[in-house]
Amino acid sequence: MRSLPVLLALLASLTALAAGHEYHLNGQKLADGVYVFVGAREHFSRANGGNIVNTGFIDTTEGAVVIDSGSSRLYGEQQRAWISGHSASRRIARVYITHAHPDHFLGSQAYAEVPQYALPATRASIAESGDRLSDNLYRLVGAAMSGTQSRTPNLPAGEGRVLIGGRALQLIAGSGHTEADLAVYDEASGTLFAGDLVFYQRTATTPNADIPRWLAALQRLEAIPYKTLVPGHGPVVQGPEAIAQTRDYLRWLQSTLQEAARKGVDLPELFEQPLPERFRDLALARVEFMRSAEHLYPALELDTLQGQGSH
Amino acid sequence: MAASAWRRLALLLMLVTASAQAEIPADPLQSPAWRYLAQRYFGEAGVVFDPRVKLLLPVSAENPLSVPVHVDARALAEVREILVFADLNPIPVILRYQPGAQAEPSLGFRFKVQQATPVRAAVRTGDGQWHLGGAWIDAAGGGCTTPSLGTGSGLWKDHFGEISGHLWPRENGVQRLRLRVIHPMDTGLAGGIPAFYLDELQLQNGKGELLAKLQGFEPLAENPLLSFDLRNAGVVRVLARDTQANQLRGSVAP
């Protein structure tokens, strides 16, 4: 049966070719049994097929624990084929979906018979908006999305320590990037899969963000004695720089938008706002700042209009 | 009529047609609707694409129900009117703005977008010439055919027609006015909900003199949030009217 994974991988890539996208996923080993698939530091495009995300897995004697299934059915299938071909267990034990953004969960069809876990608010959000997010990703990346349908994780995840196949994982239930953001910490290797609570060298995205809650979540992650941190987007790090950069950017974003609202700046006028030197080299700095202004400014500017009356 | 006379008439007609078409310059945004819309909105008047008309808008619409746009034509003298439209929206015209002598030719607003489209600000100067600025916006779309959010929230039952605002002093004696009117701005394109929108808004100074006039259309976003720059020191009165002849009034003091 050793040839089965190889056969699966071959099948998956043939299917991908027929449908038009090969992701060339290649897991990087971070520690014994811990791997990451590093995505492009780009926006969604036809060329990257939606692979702008970091996913990964932790191998256990019961099978691999997959962290995020990627951006499409094809991504999930190719990810699963790679895991089956490279893990000692050659099985999949379960999948954790960190949050309800399309690049993180739309590969879940490839794990149809595998238990899939997510925080309750993440499950609710995928159930409600998954189809719309999937449709929009079709529009942005095209053929790589062939056959993709949103699947809601079938089991609830919660804060705490879980033992799977001789491996202790800590689940951290945060929020702020979205309504619910799961981080997974592997005790044995000291690897923290931070999900999109942490971005590095790639500008943070905010379509469902609550910055004060996000900053609180970063404080919790910082207290974890990790040796390796896998951000949701951007390169893997060993030190505190990724959390520090995410926090620095979010604080700057918040205060910049608040100050503009106090001055009566109109939202599109923000698009011309100069970015500080230290953020200019982050991937997608300008376009993500513009998007964030659209997401976060409307609530701030309405506050400045309170207390005036009509008659 | 002699054959030569017919020929002369035909030639004349061709010339008229050719000259009318020659006045429409090629579209830098390459919109499929450009020639049709240009004929419809500008007729025989001169049209030029002019970098002095600045249009700020997102690259892609994060919220198709509320795309923020800011038009700045302050680099042009004698601006009489600003017409803003989105070529590929089912209802292209978003607004017409007529700044008076005490209003700067700049404004901000939000609109509903139905699909990726060019968005344009056409600025008419005193000599009758139209100056155009514009850009494409990408959009997942659906903004015009989605029922307004307030329908479900009960906002209008309790707050319909309320006007809130604020004035900020700016450089050179200019005041930035931002105001918001609670109104559904129904396009008539969402199933079972007829068109219902603000179609006129006037800004006056404390003495009742007209500062600026805005004509609104269906694509203006729900609960319009508008920004104006006025050369006016004191209070600004707001008088608005919608398509059901509701008269809405408010005032914003510095």
Side-chain angles (χ1 to χ4, degrees):
Chain A
M1 287 306 284
R2 280 235 137 187
S3 60
L4 184 64
V6 180
L7 199 70
L8 276 172
L10 191 70
L11 247 157
S13 49
L14 280 174
T15 320
L17 282 175
H21 206 85
E22 167 57 53
Y23 286 98
H24 301 290
L25 294 180
N26 193 14
Q28 282 175 35
K29 187 174 179 176
L30 299 175
D32 241 10
V34 183
Y35 293 80
V36 62
F37 300 97
V38 177
R41 264 176 268 164
E42 296 167 0
H43 193 46
F44 296 115
S45 71
R46 278 164 207 275
N48 64 37
N51 180 14
I52 61 164
V53 61
N54 296 340
T55 65
F57 70 94
I58 300 161
D59 202 17
T60 78
T61 54
E62 276 177 33
V65 175
V66 179
I67 295 150
D68 283 340
S69 58
S71 56
S72 66
R73 177 180 66 85
L74 290 174
Y75 182 105
E77 286 172 1
Q78 291 170 38
Q79 180 198 48
R80 182 171 187 167
W82 198 96
I83 297 170
S84 301
H86 293 80
S87 60
S89 65
R90 300 185 179 276
R91 285 181 295 155
I92 311 290
R94 56 173 74 182
V95 176
Y96 283 108
I97 298 298
T98 59
H99 66 289
H101 281 166
D103 44 335
H104 296 262
F105 71 82
L106 283 174
S108 294
Q109 278 165 292
Y111 300 95
E113 86 295 0
V114 177
Q116 300 178 16
Y117 294 79
L119 294 171
T122 301
R123 295 177 67 209
S125 178
I126 292 174
E128 191 195 320
S129 313
D131 291 337
R132 182 176 55 77
L133 293 171
S134 173
D135 285 354
N136 193 41
L137 212 50
Y138 261 105
R139 187 178 72 82
L140 295 168
V141 313
M145 291 292 291
S146 299
T148 302
Q149 280 178 336
S150 173
R151 270 186 67 96
T152 303
N154 55 347
L155 293 161
E159 174 92 23
R161 197 163 181 262
V162 286
L163 288 166
I164 308 160
R167 221 144 173 154
L169 304 181
Q170 290 177 24
L171 303 182
I172 301 107
S175 67
H177 172 66
T178 65
E179 208 183 328
D181 298 286
L182 181 70
V184 180
Y185 178 59
D186 171 49
E187 289 183 3
S189 68
T191 308
L192 175 61
F193 285 90
D196 279 7
L197 288 172
V198 180
F199 283 72
Y200 190 52
Q201 309 297 36
R202 196 278 188 211
T203 317
T205 66
T206 58
N208 311 99
D210 177 320
I211 292 182
R213 282 163 67 190
W214 192 338
L215 291 170
L218 287 178
Q219 209 166 357
R220 291 192 60 205
L221 294 187
E222 204 167 37
I224 296 166
Y226 64 82
K227 288 190 198 124
T228 303
L229 183 148
V230 181
H233 300 262
V236 174
V237 294
Q238 265 69 47
E241 58 269 39
I243 290 178
Q245 188 183 70
T246 305
R247 174 164 45 216
D248 186 19
Y249 179 76
L250 292 176
R251 280 186 179 160
W252 170 81
L253 180 63
Q254 177 89 334
S255 65
T256 299
L257 298 182
Q258 282 169 341
E259 196 191 330
R262 276 197 298 274
K263 288 180 178 166
V265 171
D266 192 21
L267 204 170
E269 292 175 308
L270 277 163
F271 299 162
E272 294 193 316
Q273 162 107 20
L275 302 178
E277 190 81 45
R278 63 191 192 279
F279 301 135
R280 274 177 216 162
D281 290 337
L282 302 189
L284 304 172
R286 171 60 58 186
V287 67
E288 289 300 354
F289 172 67
M290 288 172 72
R291 291 183 69 213
S292 289
E294 280 191 82
H295 302 144
L296 304 171
Y297 199 62
L300 297 172
E301 63 188 351
L302 280 190
D303 282 345
T304 69
L305 306 183
Q306 301 303 317
Q308 301 278 330
S310 59
H311 52 237
Chain B
M1 210 189 293
S4 66
W6 276 116
R7 211 175 299 138
R8 219 173 297 150
L9 185 64
L11 194 66
L12 191 70
L13 278 171
M14 274 167 65
L15 280 172
V16 167
T17 319
S19 69
Q21 282 179 352
E23 291 186 17
I24 301 174
D27 178 17
L29 301 180
Q30 303 188 324
S31 162
W34 166 244
R35 297 199 73 79
Y36 166 73
L37 293 174
Q39 275 162 6
R40 185 166 158 197
Y41 299 140
F42 310 126
E44 302 288 297
V47 182
V48 288
F49 289 97
D50 190 332
R52 288 174 294 178
V53 178
K54 215 164 95 180
L55 193 71
L56 295 171
L57 77 167
V59 178
S60 77
E62 289 297 306
N63 178 1
L65 293 169
S66 181
V67 178
V69 181
H70 194 89
V71 180
D72 183 353
R74 287 176 300 173
L76 287 170
E78 283 192 74
V79 170
R80 299 281 193 263
E81 181 179 11
I82 298 175
L83 165 71
V84 186
F85 60 96
D87 291 27
L88 304 181
N89 249 3
I91 301 167
V93 175
I94 301 165
L95 61 82
R96 283 180 189 270
Y97 181 53
Q98 288 164 294
Q102 292 179 75
E104 296 281 336
S106 59
L107 85 157
F109 60 91
R110 314 281 151 93
F111 80 102
K112 295 173 283 236
V113 72
Q114 187 66 11
Q115 64 171 79
T117 176
V119 182
R120 309 188 194 256
V123 179
R124 184 167 57 81
T125 44
D127 55 5
Q129 177 88 23
W130 288 96
H131 303 259
L132 261 74
W136 274 88
I137 184 162
D138 192 18
C144 297
T145 47
T146 308
S148 34
L149 298 172
T151 319
S153 75
L155 182 68
W156 301 322
K157 192 163 71 67
D158 303 327
H159 298 281
F160 174 82
E162 282 184 12
I163 297 173
S164 56
H166 194 84
L167 281 161
W168 287 266
R170 298 225 143 181
E171 291 153 14
N172 308 320
V174 172
Q175 277 189 313
R176 162 66 54 91
L177 168 68
R178 307 199 75 200
L179 61 89
R180 182 191 192 218
V181 186
I182 304 293
H183 201 286
M185 299 301 289
D186 290 312
T187 59
L189 302 176
I193 305 172
F196 178 41
Y197 57 94
L198 285 177
D199 59 354
E200 193 182 287
L201 185 137
Q202 285 191 20
L203 303 177
Q204 296 177 355
N205 65 15
K207 288 183 264 178
E209 294 161 346
L210 185 69
L211 299 171
K213 203 166 118 179
L214 183 139
Q215 198 184 348
F217 293 89
E218 294 90 333
L220 264 184
E222 173 181 0
N223 304 328
L225 177 65
L226 304 163
S227 300
F228 303 98
D229 296 314
L230 306 169
R231 297 185 173 279
N232 172 66
V235 68
V236 178
R237 291 183 187 166
V238 184
L239 293 85
R241 191 192 62 197
D242 67 21
T243 50
Q244 289 185 15
N246 292 302
Q247 304 281 344
L248 315 174
R249 282 170 207 288
S251 72
V252 184

